[in-house]
């Protein structure tokens, strides 16, 4: 009952009416053109649910409501898998969001599994965008920091900054997030001079 309530509050209330046309199978006696149109509409609805579930989960994470974010992020992952397949790079954002939410509620082993899945997909995608690679390194850095593994956290955040700055520029908004999280790690290590310098850069 608790899980159902959490799921309902998180996302199900928003997507429930949208699930009916998706779960209704197409009639058999349709022409090829009608079948094709039906499939296009189905994919369109599924993509809408992916975006809605992902943005809802993201809002919860930004508000610090990590527990509420998990059901919504799981729906985003589920529908992304249906639309794009289980090894598509399109699944990475949902995995990273699930890892962040799981870390937020203290489920580090589960977060580690989600990050491993995301990392595996990125490694198997040679033409993976720099933006996705940055997000992956940032997520890995934040996870390592949550574990208290600061050296590994700094390694991943340095990769995030390198990739972001080489693509978007040293003074870009995309790069500033990496500096900020790196400053937080140095702050936790009590290296205040470096932390303050990085905060000033942000």
């Amino acid at each position: 009952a608790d899980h159902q309530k959490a799921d309902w509050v998180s996302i199900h209330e928003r997507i429930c009416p949208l699930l009916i046309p998706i779960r209704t199978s197409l009639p058999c006696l349709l022409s090829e053109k009608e079948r094709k149109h039906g499939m296009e509409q189905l994919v369109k609805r599924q993509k809408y649910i992916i975006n809605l579930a992902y943005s809802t989960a993201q809002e919860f994470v930004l508000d610090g409501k990590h527990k509420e974010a998990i059901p919504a992020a799981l729906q985003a992952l589920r529908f992304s898998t249906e639309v794009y397949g289980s090894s598509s790079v399109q699944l990475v954002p949902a995995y990273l969001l699930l890892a962040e939410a799981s870390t937020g509620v203290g489920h580090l082993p589960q977060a580690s599994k989600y990050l491993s899945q995301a990392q595996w997909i990125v490694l198997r995608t040679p033409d993976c965008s720099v933006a996705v690679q940055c997000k992956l390194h940032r997520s890995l850095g934040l996870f390592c920091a949550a574990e208290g593994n600061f050296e590994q956290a700094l390694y991943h955040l340095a990769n995030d900054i390198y990739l972001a700055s080489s693509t978007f520029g040293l003074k870009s908004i995309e790069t500033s997030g990496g500096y900020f999280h790196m400053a937080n790690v140095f702050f936790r290590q009590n290296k205040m001079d470096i932390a303050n310098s990085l905060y000033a850069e942000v």
Side-chain angles (χ1 to χ4, degrees):
D2 287 346
H3 285 292
Q4 283 181 327
K5 187 180 178 189
D7 185 44
W8 180 259
V9 169
S10 173
I11 190 65
H12 218 86
E13 186 178 10
R14 297 184 197 189
I15 66 169
C16 200
L18 304 170
L19 294 175
I20 298 161
I22 286 175
R23 298 291 173 239
T24 308
S25 55
L26 293 170
C28 296
L29 304 170
L30 292 176
S31 68
E32 185 61 36
K33 189 178 176 184
E34 288 170 324
R35 257 198 311 278
K36 189 181 174 193
H37 177 72
M39 287 307 293
E40 285 170 0
Q41 290 302 308
L42 174 66
V43 170
K44 207 173 179 180
R45 287 187 183 109
Q46 287 172 320
K47 285 181 178 178
Y48 178 79
I49 290 175
I50 292 166
N51 291 333
L52 179 63
Y54 183 81
S55 61
T56 301
Q58 218 171 17
E59 281 174 35
F60 279 128
V61 166
L62 291 172
D63 288 344
K65 298 176 179 177
H66 297 97
K67 190 177 179 183
E68 290 89 339
I70 292 172
L74 282 169
Q75 288 291 350
L77 178 63
R78 181 178 163 207
F79 281 100
S80 295
T81 306
E82 282 183 30
V83 173
Y84 302 109
S86 59
S87 57
S88 169
V89 76
Q90 303 278 0
L91 275 62
V92 171
Y95 276 124
L96 297 181
L97 202 52
L98 279 164
E100 191 175 350
S102 298
T103 302
V105 292
H107 298 162
L108 295 183
Q110 190 61 49
S112 178
K113 285 179 187 175
Y114 290 132
L115 283 170
S116 296
Q117 198 66 33
Q119 200 170 16
W120 180 76
I121 290 171
V122 169
L123 288 171
R124 289 186 68 236
T125 311
D127 58 342
C128 182
S129 73
V130 172
V132 170
Q133 291 178 55
C134 286
K135 283 180 185 173
L136 174 63
H137 278 293
R138 187 169 297 179
S139 294
L140 288 164
L142 292 172
F143 175 74
C144 290
E147 279 190 315
N149 186 350
F150 297 130
E151 292 310 312
Q152 198 63 26
L154 291 172
Y155 167 79
H156 285 297
L157 292 170
N159 276 319
D160 167 28
I161 292 167
Y162 169 74
L163 288 166
S165 61
S166 62
T167 305
F168 306 110
L170 275 170
K171 304 290 182 190
S172 67
I173 291 290
E174 289 83 0
T175 308
S176 68
Y179 286 133
F180 177 75
H181 292 302
M182 189 177 261
N184 288 341
V185 172
F186 282 120
F187 182 85
R188 287 176 68 184
Q189 289 180 308
N190 240 2
K191 296 178 180 176
M192 300 311 293
D193 289 350
I194 305 171
N196 288 331
S197 163
L198 286 167
Y199 285 134
E201 188 69 29
V202 174

